[in-house]
Each structure stands twice: as structure tokens, then as C-alpha cells.
Amino acid sequence: MEVVALICARGGSKGLPGKNIRPLAGRPLIAWAIAQARAVRRIGRIIISTDSEEIAAVARAAGAEVPFLRPSELAQDNSPEWLVWRHALNYLWESAGTYPGALIVVPTTAPLRAPQDLENCLDEYERNGPDVVITVTDAHRSPYFNMVRSRHDGTVGLVIPPEGAVVRRQDAPVVYDMTTVAYVARPEFVMTRNGVFEGRVRQVHVPPERALDIDTLLDFRIAECLLAGELDGHDKLPQ
């Protein structure tokens, strides 16, 4: 099965300007995603979707392809990433006349992932044939226990009132946080549907210490601290 990795990295990040090429533990943030994808032998190509020439140059130096620049209308704050995936798949179709067997999206914002997490996602895709594989991690809050929403009268209530009394979070139905560690998608599904949950979705669990999503400077500082502790696997990534 041909597997293509897609790394999306626009130049206009608002939460942390310039984050995609900001140095993290000695390498640009985007280079972590590229190195992790390069460590997975099943991934045949690593393609970057960016609107930034600066990001493109850093990505090429790290070993990825940048065969096109993303159009500006797909690089806005409100541009759906689903359409960015489609744009990349359109390129693959137009250049090769076919889609790959799987598209694995490797976000730049999860640098603590291990290559094994990507392997696990591909294993789940190959084993069970879903439309999409997502990654999840342990939830810190539960809509059945300690997540609330405002009512029209100004009071608050649980997001999902349980059928019976729940006095401990452990007694509530198990829920997970979606992560940005990776997604694996069937290309034909992406091209014909409008979102992940319109299809058959399966999950791969990632431990919290590898599931950090960098959106702010605080997140970046936390990643620096964790990487300073030499998490397993990161010293073996391609340079």
C-alpha cells in the first residue's frame, strides 16, 4: 500500500507567530514532524502544504517535498484543514493519475509523538479498513461529571446529564480527548465527504506525555521541558 504523509504548515499562526519553524530542542518545529515521518518505513513520500516560502525552505532542508505552495484562500485563520487535505490529494491525482492507498496527516503541533504512534495508526487502518483513523488520549474532563454549560436562566448544568448519579469521574462513561498526533484517511473518502465523522472512524490511543498540542508559548515551553527529559525514541530520529 502506498502511503503519503502530509504535513500542513501555514505561515500565519496567530497563537504563536512563526511556530512552525520556531526552534525546539535544536530543530525547527516542522522538522520534528518530518523526522518522525521519515522514521516510518511504510511512508513513501512526505509532502508539505504551506503558503510560506520560508517554511518551504526549512522543510526541504529537513528532507520533505514541497511540490506546490498552498493558495492563500486555504491559508486563512478560518480555512478548513479538510480542504487543505483535498488540495494535496488533487495534486497527487493530477501528477500521478491516482490516489495513494492512505494519506497520513502528521501535524506539526505534536512534536512529542513517537514514530511508533504513526505506525500504530497505519496498523489500525490496514487491519480494520476504516475511512479515518484518529488519535486520542486520556480526557482531563468529562461531560458527564465535571464539564458544564450555561443555561438560558443563567444557571449551569452538566453538558451531558447522566442517567444515574455519578459521584466519581471514574464512574462516568469513558471519554477521550482527540489529539493532533496523526490522522490516517482514505483519499476517496476525503474527496467525497465533508468531515471526519461522516464516515467510519477508528481510534489509536496515545499517552498524554506524547499528545501535547502546541498552540501557545506555554505549550511550547512545556514541550521544551519534556524534551529536555529525553523521552524514549526522540534520540533515534533521522537528522
Side-chain angles (χ1 to χ4, degrees), residues 42-177:
R42 277 180 285 182
I43 295 176
R45 298 178 69 182
I46 304 170
I47 291 176
I48 308 300
S49 174
T50 184
D51 61 319
S52 164
E53 291 282 8
E54 186 176 13
I55 291 174
V58 172
R60 290 189 184 101
E65 298 179 49
V66 191
F68 55 80
L69 284 182
R70 191 193 311 179
S72 60
E73 63 268 22
L74 293 180
Q76 305 304 311
D77 291 342
N78 60 351
S79 298
E81 187 160 307
W82 192 258
L83 298 184
V84 177
W85 298 5
R86 277 191 183 178
H87 179 261
L89 287 169
N90 272 324
Y91 162 78
L92 292 171
W93 178 268
E94 290 171 0
S95 60
T98 187
Y99 294 126
L103 181 75
I104 181 167
V105 180
V106 186
T108 63
T109 54
L112 301 183
R113 75 170 72 80
Q116 188 60 51
D117 297 320
L118 304 181
E119 296 275 15
N120 292 344
C121 290
L122 290 170
D123 287 344
E124 183 67 27
Y125 181 81
E126 291 186 13
R127 183 167 53 242
N128 291 295
D131 295 307
V132 181
V133 175
I134 65 171
T135 47
V136 302
T137 194
D138 306 320
H140 293 91
R141 294 284 185 269
S142 169
Y144 298 93
F145 181 69
N146 56 6
M147 292 179 66
V148 299
R149 60 181 176 181
S150 297
R151 299 187 178 116
H152 293 301
D153 64 359
T155 63
V156 297
L158 287 171
V159 173
I160 304 177
E163 294 182 2
V166 175
V167 296
R168 301 185 310 158
R169 181 174 58 83
Q170 293 83 350
D171 296 328
V174 177
V175 296
Y176 299 97
D177 287 338

